[in-house]
Amino acid sequence: MAKRVYLFNEGSKDDRELLGGKGANLCEMTNLGLPVPYGFIITTSTCREYFKAGNRLPALLEQEYRVALDIVEKKMGARFGDPENPLLFSVRSGAPVSMPGMMSTILNLGLNDEITEGLAIKTGNARFAYDSYRRFISMFADVVMGVDGQKFEHEIHQYKATHGKTFDVEMSAQDWQEIIRIYKTLVDFPEDPFTQLKMAVEAVFMSWHTPRAIVYREMANIPDTLGTAVTVQAMVFGNFGDDSGSGVAFTRNPSTGEHLFFGEFLFNAAGEDVVSGVRTPLPVEALKERQPDIYDQLFRTQVLLEKHYRDMQDIEFTIQEGVFYMLQTRSGKRTGRASVKIAVDMVKEGLITESEALMRVSPDHVEAFLHPMVDPAAKTDIIAKGLPASPGGATGRVVFSAEEAEEEVAKGHRVILVRRETTPEDIHGMKVAAGVLTELGGMTSHAAVVARGMGVCAITGCAQISINYAEGLFTTHAGVTVRRDDVITLDGTTGEVMLGDIPKTEASSSDDFQTLLTWADKHRRLKVRANAETPTDAAKARELGAEGIGLCRTEHMFFDADRIDVMRAMILAEDLEERQKYLDILFGFQRADILQLFKVMDGLPVTVRLLDPPLHEFLPSSDEDIAALASHIGKPETKIRQITESMKEVNPMLGFRGCRLSVVYPEITAMQVRAIITAAVEATEQGFKPFPEIMIPLVVNVREIRLITDIIEQAIREVLTGKTVSIPYKIGTMVETPRAALSADRLAEVVEFMSFGTNDLTQMTYGFSRDDVGRFLPAYLAKKLVENDPFVSLDQRAVGRLMQIAVTESRARKPGIKYGICGEHGGDPRSIRFCHELGLDYVSCSPYRVPIARIAAARANVGEDLQD
Ligand code: PEP
Ligand code: MG
């Protein structure tokens, strides 16, 4: 039978899966000889066993942990349940993957009336004993017995009001005893410590299924099947008096990444007081003056832990009557900027390798370099300042609850969520908000940690505002009143709150970021191109490292006001002569635009896709547009209506699109190819090196490709005849219908490259319309009928299988063929990993995703990651 209970000296940091992250790290610290209060861990596999048995604890479990408990008692020199010399426990959840603050914690477990009295005598500190007991009762009732915690808060509030007290420090031992008496009328509290322990273990297991834990797992892509371990650890007390305290610290600054020890501390306080943001903490340096030896010990410990784990650590410690204890260490959450700086610094310090650095920077972190920032020159109307908890700039309407945030966002508004502090219940609001502003809480408060993790701009601890939820407003110390729906801007990098919509500058890079990207380029095999049509987008893409254009959607080049009517006229033409007239005009636009692209992408491939317009997007629909078009092109309105009507399709997505247009109107294709090749000739004559790739969209069989290739080659001959320049063009196709994927071996006979159009391939594999999926996909996701949105993250089972068949069979037919992907999935890290594994040559994505794709491609090449 597998061992269910491990003592702290029986595991190591490599046992995360079995002992949870917290438990594994407590074992590791114990083995390193650090002062860790002793304890034991019940494994995650016991949690799975519990669920499998229909939520029943294994029969032998209690017996097993009682053996461990005996050993802990000996080590701590105190006994669980002994009024003369009581040992108390903290009982906490701990998943294999960090889920900060998402699950249950119970402190001071093992107290009852008799033991509390004993504790009061033993410690000579009755106030402390009864304070601990009342905290335990309310926490136990709330977490284990499901009694609303607000009830207890309410009782304390009432008691203080009727006894003329405001703060906890004014409460005496007798006051707390009275509170305990009242509490006991609210809950049928179990006096037996072993019953308490058993109930707590069960509650921790059950906490795995609370809605907030489920939401967190969904967001962080953590599998539901892992389960949680239970860590049972001897209590030490930071609230024992003025020579006690609790703190949390990071071995480097989690916002900037600077290599400076950074932490927050409160004297005479329990750990929960520091993280909850109820009291505003002091910087950890405050310890240096009052308890220099302890500060030294803490400082040495954090240096040791960082070296040992080779990563920035987030630590929790407690001081009880001048004795230092380590309670937790884990890899610290950090902003995108910090994550890049720390990874690059650690390579320079010789702590980690370049590949490890790449694995430390998640593609999401890269967004920080790409987010808008509040323009410093444009800052006006700064109405308050708080802590710069999560960087970037955000503007939106003020809302005061997560529900309001969701409602406003559903209406298409951007919102700033303003809360006194946040709890896991607020996550659904934080997820949709552009920014978060809280009145209370430090840099390690819930709001700060969660927003930073999500990359949502946040300001916490903004003591210069007072929120009035009832009236839906906040006032600043300077006397400004901001009401619900007023627009404000947050600068999460400086902590400044401003009235109105302040302009933001484009995101800026950093030397460290560039260094990391250079490493990414060195360690990746997949090339990264961009989907771009305009010279501005193409230039941005190249600046961000694109190695060519993977998809130029030519139909997007005709949307401008001065072009759309020519395009419409061409579509509405009634005979070839009329169509040719407009094609000649379009030729001019097309040639000039593509020349620009060749110049920007000098020396790199530019894949130009032949026209693939869902025709309905181009035709005029409003009376005004029809009237304007009529006067512009000199065609009667009635005629335009009649033709438009005749072109209406029942299902335009599966209609007259893509290469079907070339089949019916070869002259359109001929015009486009002439424009591409003429632009290439001009570019070459001007000293540039164009590499045009002509791509045929939406094919279903090789006959289409043969027909269209003939048109293409004929047009190329027309342009090049008599010219001395040679243009290194290629002809390829998009694989975006299931039939094309399944016939790729035949397609390969004709083409030199294939690019997977996974937007359409997903649409046609699922039969989910790209345009209408918003109506039902949210329900599919909520009901877990699909794991991810298949239009975001490539469905490997079906779409991926089609791609695999296409690659394997076409490569067998023509080994030199090149493969790319240009659907939206080309910028999605998980899909990029799949493309890497499939052996594609490049991914193509929107310009701003290029750096993310470069890093994702390198990560796919150097290691595996659960978060991908
Ligand atoms: C695709 O279908 O994946 C694709 C890139 O083409 P579009 O999105 O233009 O249909
Ligand atoms: Mg397509």
Side-chain angles (χ1 to χ4, degrees):
M1 190 198 64
K3 187 171 159 69
R4 294 195 183 95
V5 179
Y6 284 69
L7 285 156
F8 280 4
N9 59 329
E10 292 181 319
S12 81
K13 70 177 183 352
D14 301 325
D15 296 319
R16 298 180 69 88
E17 240 170 78
L18 187 66
L19 305 180
K22 192 175 289 153
N25 287 331
L26 284 169
C27 290
E28 190 74 11
M29 286 201 292
T30 305
N31 296 337
L32 283 171
L34 291 173
V36 178
Y38 203 51
F40 60 87
I41 302 147
I42 303 173
T43 63
T44 55
S45 60
T46 314
C47 175
R48 294 191 291 272
E49 202 181 336
Y50 171 81
F51 291 138
K52 219 165 160 188
N55 301 350
R56 288 168 65 105
L57 292 175
L60 292 176
L61 180 65
E62 182 161 6
Q63 212 171 309
E64 290 169 63
Y65 69 65
R66 279 197 183 219
V67 173
L69 202 150
D70 278 351
I71 301 171
V72 177
E73 286 178 338
K74 288 204 181 79
K75 196 126 181 165
M76 297 304 295
R79 287 177 60 85
F80 188 58
D82 178 359
E84 315 253 294
N85 184 20
L87 175 62
L88 304 181
F89 284 123
S90 69
V91 178
R92 298 172 202 261
S93 56
V97 184
S98 161
M99 294 172 60
M102 299 312 299
M103 293 195 292
S104 293
T105 295
I106 302 130
L107 303 174
N108 304 332
L109 186 130
L111 285 174
N112 59 20
D113 292 351
E114 195 191 351
I115 294 170
T116 305
E117 237 182 279
L119 184 68
I121 296 165
K122 185 192 163 197
T123 59
N125 190 342
R127 187 188 176 281
F128 158 76
Y130 290 104
D131 182 17
S132 302
Y133 191 25
R134 66 94 193 175
R135 284 177 192 247
F136 170 51
I137 298 174
S138 58
M139 203 179 247
F140 190 88
D142 182 3
V143 175
V144 179
M145 303 175 78
V147 181
D148 183 359
Q150 296 287 329
K151 280 191 183 171
F152 300 100
E153 285 300 310
H154 175 75
E155 291 301 339
I156 294 191
H157 199 77
Q158 286 283 101
Y159 184 90
K160 282 182 182 163
T162 51
H163 290 75
K165 300 182 191 240
T166 314
F167 299 106
D168 280 3
V169 286
E170 298 165 51
M171 299 283 278
S172 66
Q174 287 70 30
D175 290 322
W176 288 133
Q177 272 174 299
E178 185 51 24
I179 291 285
I180 289 160
R181 195 194 57 74
I182 299 167
Y183 276 10
K184 289 224 172 162
T185 64
L186 299 176
V187 58
D188 187 13
F189 176 76
E191 293 278 325
D192 172 40
F194 284 97
T195 308
Q196 292 171 3
L197 181 55
K198 196 164 163 183
M199 288 170 75
V201 168
E202 203 161 348
V204 169
F205 284 162
M206 287 306 289
S207 74
W208 182 255
H209 288 316
T210 55
R212 67 188 193 202
I214 293 169
V215 168
Y216 191 89
R217 283 202 292 279
E218 268 171 15
M219 258 171 46
N221 257 316
I222 299 170
D224 253 345
T225 48
L226 295 177
T228 177
V230 188
T231 298
V232 181
Q233 184 176 26
M235 283 292 301
V236 286
F237 297 95
N239 54 346
F240 212 89
D242 287 342
D243 56 352
S244 302
S246 293
V248 292
F250 291 90
T251 56
R252 301 187 188 216
N253 185 310
S255 270
T256 63
E258 257 182 308
H259 193 172
L260 284 175
F261 183 45
F262 172 88
E264 294 177 333
F265 181 79
L266 278 173
F267 287 107
N268 198 9
E272 69 203 27
D273 301 335
V274 184
V275 284
S276 71
V278 193
R279 278 164 66 186
T280 299
L282 305 166
V284 73
E285 283 71 27
L287 254 180
K288 221 189 241 175
E289 283 162 34
R290 290 256 296 262
Q291 292 177 308
D293 292 349
I294 300 237
Y295 182 80
D296 265 8
Q297 201 179 348
L298 169 66
F299 194 84
R300 273 184 280 114
T301 304
Q302 63 92 16
V303 171
L304 177 126
L305 284 171
E306 190 181 272
K307 276 226 167 77
H308 183 74
Y309 281 93
R310 299 160 66 241
D311 195 8
M312 188 264 262
Q313 296 294 294
D314 165 358
I315 62 179
E316 287 181 22
F317 60 94
T318 283
I319 299 158
Q320 181 177 325
E321 297 178 288
V323 181
F324 173 72
Y325 294 98
M326 277 301 299
L327 296 187
Q328 177 161 310
T329 190
R330 61 183 173 196
S331 282
K333 292 228 179 276
R334 59 205 81 179
T335 62
R337 283 201 172 259
S339 110
V340 170
K341 177 158 176 52
I342 291 170
V344 172
D345 281 353
M346 284 191 167
V347 173
K348 291 184 182 155
E349 290 160 27
L351 267 181
I352 59 174
T353 63
E354 288 177 11
S355 301
E356 282 173 309
L358 287 161
M359 293 313 290
R360 297 274 173 89
V361 178
S362 80
D364 289 349
H365 282 144
V366 177
E367 307 268 17
F369 294 86
L370 311 165
H371 284 314
M373 306 296 264
V374 177
D375 181 355
K379 275 184 192 171
T380 49
D381 288 326
I382 298 172
I383 54 167
K385 190 156 187 219
L387 301 173
S390 184
T395 299
R397 298 173 178 219
V398 168
V399 295
F400 290 99
S401 73
E403 288 65 32
E404 274 174 60
E406 279 193 321
E407 278 165 32
E408 288 300 313
V409 170
K411 287 186 216 155
H413 300 142
R414 292 174 67 76
V415 301
I416 303 291
L417 176 60
V418 183
R419 301 283 299 161
R420 215 162 271 150
E421 62 201 313
T422 66
T423 69
E425 266 75 50
D426 296 308
I427 286 191
H428 61 113
M430 298 174 74
K431 223 159 101 172
V432 296
V436 177
L437 169 63
T438 70
E439 194 178 326
L440 302 169
M443 293 282 282
T444 49
S445 64
H446 178 268
V449 171
V450 172
R452 216 180 283 143
M454 288 177 179
V456 171
C457 162
I459 296 174
T460 60
C462 189
Q464 297 174 358
I465 65 167
S466 316
I467 301 174
N468 184 335
Y469 286 134
E471 294 198 44
L473 56 84
F474 70 80
T475 49
T476 71
H477 285 187
V480 181
T481 300
V482 177
R483 292 173 194 282
R484 172 180 286 119
D485 281 348
D486 286 352
V487 172
I488 60 169
T489 296
L490 305 185
D491 186 340
T493 313
T494 61
E496 291 157 313
V497 182
M498 289 149 280
L499 281 183
D501 185 352
I502 311 293
K504 291 163 211 74
T505 55
E506 286 192 14
S508 68
S509 184
S510 78
D511 289 350
D512 290 325
F513 184 46
Q514 290 308 325
T515 305
L516 190 86
L517 285 169
T518 323
W519 294 340
D521 294 346
K522 202 159 105 189
H523 291 276
R524 69 186 157 92
R525 189 184 49 66
L526 268 177
K527 295 226 172 260
V528 178
R529 299 194 192 178
N531 294 354
E533 298 68 59
T534 67
T536 319
D537 286 355
K540 186 80 210 169
R542 186 151 196 182
E543 181 195 319
L544 293 172
E547 295 160 298
I549 287 182
L551 174 61
C552 163
R553 292 174 162 107
T554 50
E555 62 280 4
H556 287 191
M557 300 166 113
F558 300 115
F559 272 129
D560 282 357
D562 61 331
R563 302 178 175 195
I564 186 132
D565 278 354
V566 184
M567 181 73 179
R568 284 170 172 164
M570 188 276 286
I571 294 170
L572 297 169
E574 290 163 83
D575 55 39
L576 181 58
E577 194 187 340
E578 191 187 352
R579 180 165 306 105
Q580 197 59 54
K581 183 173 93 187
Y582 294 112
L583 282 172
D584 289 344
I585 304 174
L586 291 174
F587 171 85
F589 296 142
Q590 185 96 92
R591 189 198 63 184
D593 287 354
I594 290 176
L595 176 60
Q596 290 302 316
L597 290 185
F598 286 147
K599 287 183 178 175
V600 174
M601 285 289 161
D602 185 24
L604 296 171
V606 174
T607 307
V608 184
R609 178 175 74 182
L610 298 177
L611 218 51
D612 178 15
L615 284 182
H616 63 292
E617 283 180 21
F618 278 94
L619 293 175
S621 51
S622 71
D623 289 345
E624 267 173 23
D625 276 0
I626 291 175
L629 180 66
S631 80
H632 191 179
I633 65 172
K635 223 184 200 35
E637 281 183 42
T638 47
K639 190 80 202 165
I640 292 176
R641 273 183 221 284
Q642 186 197 337
I643 303 174
T644 307
E645 200 54 39
S646 74
M647 291 183 74
K648 276 236 166 78
E649 292 181 310
V650 174
N651 193 338
M653 266 296 175
L654 300 177
F656 191 26
R657 301 176 52 189
C659 67
R660 297 156 206 175
L661 218 63
S662 307
V663 171
V664 179
Y665 301 124
E667 59 276 17
I668 299 181
T669 305
M671 176 282 284
Q672 288 203 283
V673 175
R674 279 202 307 275
I676 296 165
I677 300 299
T678 308
V681 170
E682 285 178 27
T684 311
E685 286 168 353
Q686 292 175 33
F688 296 93
K689 284 199 179 59
F691 290 94
E693 298 187 347
I694 298 167
M695 184 156 76
I696 309 170
L698 223 72
V699 302
V700 295
N701 72 26
V702 71
R703 293 186 204 182
E704 288 170 318
I705 299 189
R706 285 191 198 284
L707 177 88
I708 296 163
T709 305
D710 285 348
I711 302 167
I712 293 172
E713 279 176 343
Q714 165 69 24
I716 293 175
R717 273 196 301 277
E718 277 174 34
V719 177
L720 292 184
T721 303
K723 298 253 173 9
T724 49
V725 289
S726 82
I727 302 297
Y729 68 88
K730 282 184 181 170
I731 300 174
T733 190
M734 282 181 92
V735 175
E736 50 188 338
T737 66
R739 196 181 192 289
L742 297 170
S743 320
D745 56 335
R746 299 293 310 279
L747 308 189
E749 290 168 11
V750 192
V751 298
E752 289 174 89
F753 67 91
M754 288 184 188
S755 181
F756 289 99
T758 44
N759 301 334
D760 277 310
L761 194 56
T762 302
Q763 165 171 263
M764 292 185 221
T765 302
Y766 275 75
F768 285 1
S769 154
R770 283 164 72 174
D771 287 345
D772 304 313
V773 75
R775 300 275 293 276
F776 54 86
L777 194 65
Y780 269 68
L781 287 164
K783 295 183 179 176
K784 296 209 178 310
L785 303 181
V786 290
E787 205 151 303
N788 298 296
D789 179 343
F791 290 97
V792 174
S793 183
L794 201 126
D795 164 36
Q796 298 185 14
R797 173 159 190 83
V799 179
R801 227 141 84 226
L802 285 169
M803 290 169 71
Q804 188 169 18
I805 293 169
V807 170
T808 313
E809 297 187 355
S810 58
R811 190 171 270 152
R813 185 70 65 103
K814 190 194 258 180
I817 201 159
K818 296 277 184 231
Y819 300 93
I821 181 173
C822 59
E824 286 311 304
H825 307 89
D828 168 62
R830 229 182 313 171
S831 312
I832 290 173
R833 181 173 286 275
F834 175 78
C835 293
H836 169 86
E837 281 159 10
L838 192 57
L840 301 194
D841 296 283
Y842 65 88
V843 296
S844 190
C845 56
S846 58
Y848 278 94
R849 306 269 329 153
V850 166
I852 293 170
R854 287 161 73 190
I855 291 185
R859 285 161 65 93
N861 200 26
V862 298
E864 268 182 49
D865 186 33
L866 202 67
Q867 303 298 327
D868 264 11

